[in-house]
Amino acid sequence: SLDYELAFNQNKSSFISYFSYQNTKRTHYTGIMPDEDDAEAYANHFKQPPYGDTKNSTIQVGAQINHKLDKFLSGTNQLTAGLEYQYDDILDEILSYNYKIDQTTKNIGLFVQSDWEAFRGFNLLLGARADKHNMVDKIIINPRVSALYKIGKETQIRASWASGFRAPQAFDTDM
């Protein structure tokens, strides 16, 4: 993985980018020994043991820009905007179980956020993310809002609301 960050405009603005790639190839044993009472299944287990092969390539790349407004209404505001692309290609096969997953997923997301310190001790965060996934027909928009009030140095009250979605994928194993 690689990332890069650049601050500019007297540290009021920044640009952040990142890239990560993972390539996994593995052979794995996935079988459970059948009961000895089932002689045919027991014999087949040794003739064709349930070994599987997995090939998985994952790419994630993104960038965001941040800018701080020192005089925004009665306070300061940190604005953020960015985009992210995720690619996942998986081939997982276990011949003796007649099991095969061959899937490619792609997702592109755009996001914006405003973190406004309206007055000392009170922050209001508003944001939204729009995602387009290759296995979903429509664009998914997920808003979020959060209010934070700090009472002294050690106490705070926060209320948040957000929505989200988990993109469809057939393969979800920590390899």
Side-chain angles (χ1 to χ4, degrees):
S1 66
L2 299 168
D3 62 77
Y4 177 76
E5 183 170 347
L6 173 68
F8 56 97
N9 193 19
Q10 299 172 339
N11 286 329
K12 291 182 182 180
S13 302
S14 66
F15 172 77
I16 301 167
S17 62
Y18 56 91
F19 169 83
S20 77
Y21 173 74
Q22 178 177 309
N23 188 44
T24 303
K25 292 181 182 179
R26 71 178 184 141
T27 299
H28 49 92
Y29 177 75
T30 59
I32 297 172
M33 185 68 71
D35 292 332
E36 291 182 22
D37 295 345
D38 187 347
E40 184 179 342
Y42 194 76
N44 285 338
H45 182 83
F46 290 103
K47 287 180 190 173
Q48 191 175 8
Y51 282 95
D53 290 304
T54 304
K55 295 176 185 148
N56 182 222
S57 295
T58 303
I59 297 171
Q60 184 172 15
V61 62
Q64 75 178 49
I65 190 146
N66 305 292
H67 181 69
K68 183 177 182 181
L69 300 172
D70 287 327
K71 295 180 182 177
F72 183 81
L73 300 175
S74 63
T76 62
N77 194 337
Q78 179 74 33
L79 302 173
T80 302
L83 62 98
E84 179 177 70
Y85 177 73
Q86 298 169 340
Y87 170 89
D88 191 31
D89 185 44
I90 182 77
L91 174 61
D92 189 43
E93 210 169 8
I94 307 167
L95 295 176
S96 62
Y97 289 165
N98 197 25
Y99 169 89
K100 181 178 180 180
I101 292 177
D102 187 1
Q103 181 185 72
T104 300
T105 61
K106 301 171 192 171
N107 188 75
I108 188 158
L110 302 169
F111 57 90
V112 294
Q113 180 172 286
S114 166
D115 189 357
W116 175 35
E117 185 177 359
F119 53 87
R120 185 179 164 140
F122 180 76
N123 284 64
L124 181 64
L125 185 138
L126 301 169
R129 180 176 168 116
D131 285 277
K132 179 59 182 106
H133 190 279
N134 68 311
M135 299 177 99
V136 178
D137 291 336
K138 61 181 183 170
I139 294 174
I140 307 294
I141 297 176
N142 291 295
R144 64 185 283 191
V145 61
S146 177
L148 172 69
Y149 183 64
K150 297 177 185 174
I151 305 168
K153 292 182 180 181
E154 297 179 12
T155 306
Q156 64 185 21
I157 298 170
R158 180 187 306 265
S160 299
W161 177 87
S163 69
F165 88 108
R166 182 180 170 117
Q169 66 185 60
F171 197 76
D172 191 18
T173 301
D174 187 14
M175 297 185 292

